[in-house]
Amino acid sequence: MQHKTKSVFLLAVTLIAGGCSRETVQKMYDVDFKPTNRFAKNLASLPGQFQKDTKALDALIQSFTGKVEKRWGSKNVKIAGKTNYVKYIDDYSSRADVNFDQGKVVIETVSSTEPLSHLKKAIVTTLLTPDDPKHVDLFSAKKVAINGKPFLYRQILDQDNKPIEWSWRANRFADYLIQHQLKVKQVNFRKSYYVEIPMVENQVEIRSYKYASLIRKASRQYGIPEDLIYAIIKTESSFNPYAVSWANAYGLMQVVPKTAGKDVFSKIKKRSGQPSPAYLYNPENNIDTGTAYFYLLKNNYLNTIKNPTSLQYSMISAYNGGAGGVLNTFSKDRQYAFKKINNLQPNQLYWALTNKHPNKESRRYLQKVKNYKDQFNAGKL
């Protein structure tokens, strides 16, 4: 008891001095921040946006990949993800892979009959794919309905450095690519004819501008800073409205229907059930739902945290690993965990969540979001 009192006193003195190092926090603040099971029975589960819910998605992808393997082989399966758009057409013989992280588009075909004709069709389809994800089924080879402004408008320029919006320009660029940049490789004992198209340097900014009004609207409605919403979208999807992930999460803010989506429907929208993938693929619905979930984190699940900066760090971490993951970083007893958090400076809390959070992915997640927030505020996002 005497030792504990002495430790608390020393910690208080250090905090008042304002120079508490991470080593001091780690050594003095209750055994290296390692979770303890001492009060496990007292910690009610707190919802997490990315609690894995993949049963339906797993079944869909298993069926889908089986069809892809027949054409491309088991080693050449590509599937849409958070930051890449993959679409198959022509009975799975042609595909486009738009990699937003690399800023590169690869369009290829393994068709054995008239491959260049199939490749041109795939190029034109990719260039004119609409901006609305509801028109595109990523887990089939269904034809893409071409209407409205293209998804990749201004993110790819043709041979004359012009953006591609109309069919005539897309067809002309496709002819140019096949004539001047055609490549061939072996894929599963077949020839793959393909082209690679670089995206413009500021492709992320171009996509982000499209959602500025929606982000501003959600920010004002729920009291969540715009820079945080931008940083979350950049982290989750790189502003890819077609994004889908392993956690059965959809759209720009990668909302999971069964967890965060259901929570928002129940507590904020006063609706039963949960949002459908089609609902979450709508950018306005997605940004609204993701931001509303941050409102719940701020005002319901983590509202005991007093410092605004510490609260925001905790909200970011909880968006990825759940509010329970944040608290478990400090104690299995919820009230004690909140007490610990409120006794830390924001930089100390940040260090703990990026070094001692039980989930390694959540540690990296907070770092990424903070970096993107800083970039946004410096005018670089």
Side-chain angles (χ1 to χ4, degrees), residues 6-156:
K6 182 180 179 182
S7 297
V8 172
F9 172 77
L10 288 173
L11 179 62
V13 170
T14 310
L15 289 174
I16 291 169
C20 189
S21 68
R22 69 173 180 85
E23 289 83 3
T24 304
V25 176
Q26 184 177 6
K27 289 176 181 176
M28 293 181 61
Y29 212 83
D30 200 19
V31 199
D32 197 24
F33 287 118
K34 290 180 182 177
T36 169
N37 292 322
R38 183 179 171 192
F39 301 107
K41 64 177 184 289
N42 296 325
L43 182 62
S45 61
L46 288 176
Q49 145 73 346
F50 288 114
Q51 291 175 6
K52 199 170 180 182
D53 172 32
T54 61
K55 189 174 181 181
L57 187 63
D58 282 348
L60 175 63
I61 290 177
Q62 188 173 3
S63 171
F64 173 70
T65 55
K67 295 170 184 175
V68 174
E69 286 180 5
K70 288 180 181 179
R71 295 286 190 185
W72 298 83
S74 58
K75 294 182 180 179
N76 293 287
V77 173
K78 290 184 178 180
I79 299 177
K82 291 173 63 171
T83 59
N84 70 310
Y85 164 96
V86 178
K87 175 64 178 130
Y88 290 82
I89 61 172
D90 285 340
D91 195 25
Y92 298 93
S93 65
S94 303
R95 70 185 177 193
D97 180 6
V98 182
N99 191 310
F100 297 108
D101 281 344
Q102 296 178 10
K104 182 173 72 172
V105 180
V106 178
I107 305 170
E108 56 186 324
T109 186
V110 290
S111 176
S112 57
T113 59
E114 300 183 347
L116 299 188
S117 175
H118 284 267
L119 180 60
K120 180 179 178 179
K121 178 182 178 182
I123 294 171
V124 172
T125 297
T126 304
L127 295 174
L128 298 180
T129 291
D131 207 21
D132 189 347
K134 73 182 179 185
H135 295 297
V136 180
D137 183 356
L138 294 178
F139 296 108
S140 79
K142 289 180 181 177
K143 186 178 178 180
V144 176
I146 304 299
N147 54 64
K149 186 153 285 189
F151 168 45
L152 294 174
Y153 180 66
R154 293 178 57 223
Q155 298 170 61
I156 291 176

Side-chain angles (χ1 to χ4, degrees), residues 46 294-308 310-312 314-315 323 327 334 338 341-342:
L46 288 176
F294 266 109
Y295 175 89
L296 289 176
L297 290 172
K298 177 182 178 180
N299 296 285
N300 290 44
Y301 305 130
L302 299 170
N303 62 346
T304 307
I305 299 174
K306 297 174 183 177
N307 183 284
S310 295
L311 175 58
Q312 190 169 118
S314 299
M315 289 159 54
L327 301 182
R334 182 184 300 179
F338 277 126
I341 291 171
N342 284 324

Side-chain angles (χ1 to χ4, degrees), residues 119-253:
L119 180 60
K120 180 179 178 179
K121 178 182 178 182
I123 294 171
V124 172
T125 297
T126 304
L127 295 174
L128 298 180
T129 291
D131 207 21
D132 189 347
K134 73 182 179 185
H135 295 297
V136 180
D137 183 356
L138 294 178
F139 296 108
S140 79
K142 289 180 181 177
K143 186 178 178 180
V144 176
I146 304 299
N147 54 64
K149 186 153 285 189
F151 168 45
L152 294 174
Y153 180 66
R154 293 178 57 223
Q155 298 170 61
I156 291 176
L157 303 178
D158 69 5
Q159 69 270 33
D160 298 324
N161 281 328
K162 301 290 185 181
I164 301 158
E165 184 173 4
W166 309 110
S167 177
W168 69 266
R169 190 178 287 279
N171 276 277
R172 193 182 72 151
F173 187 39
D175 289 334
Y176 172 85
L177 290 170
I178 290 171
Q179 184 177 352
H180 296 283
Q181 297 183 21
L182 181 67
K183 298 180 181 181
V184 184
K185 64 183 178 182
Q186 287 294 123
V187 172
N188 194 36
F189 305 109
R190 300 183 184 199
K191 279 188 176 180
S192 166
Y193 295 83
Y194 69 103
V195 295
E196 296 180 344
I197 311 172
M199 302 180 74
V200 298
E201 209 167 294
N202 63 333
Q203 42 109 357
V204 176
E205 288 85 350
I206 289 171
R207 286 195 304 284
S208 72
Y209 295 152
K210 292 192 287 188
Y211 308 115
S213 62
L214 300 180
I215 291 171
R216 191 175 304 115
K217 177 183 176 183
S219 171
R220 290 172 178 172
Q221 182 173 353
Y222 297 109
I224 303 299
E226 286 187 43
D227 62 350
L228 174 58
I229 303 172
Y230 272 102
I232 291 293
I233 296 176
K234 168 63 177 168
T235 304
E236 290 296 345
S237 66
S238 196
F239 295 91
N240 169 21
Y242 289 89
V244 61
S245 81
W246 59 271
N248 204 11
Y250 298 92
L252 293 164
M253 295 185 74

Side-chain angles (χ1 to χ4, degrees), residues 362-376:
S362 295
R363 297 177 209 164
R364 293 193 299 266
Y365 187 84
L366 176 55
Q367 292 173 326
K368 285 181 183 178
V369 174
K370 184 179 182 300
N371 287 340
Y372 288 140
K373 272 181 85 272
D374 293 341
Q375 289 178 28
F376 174 84

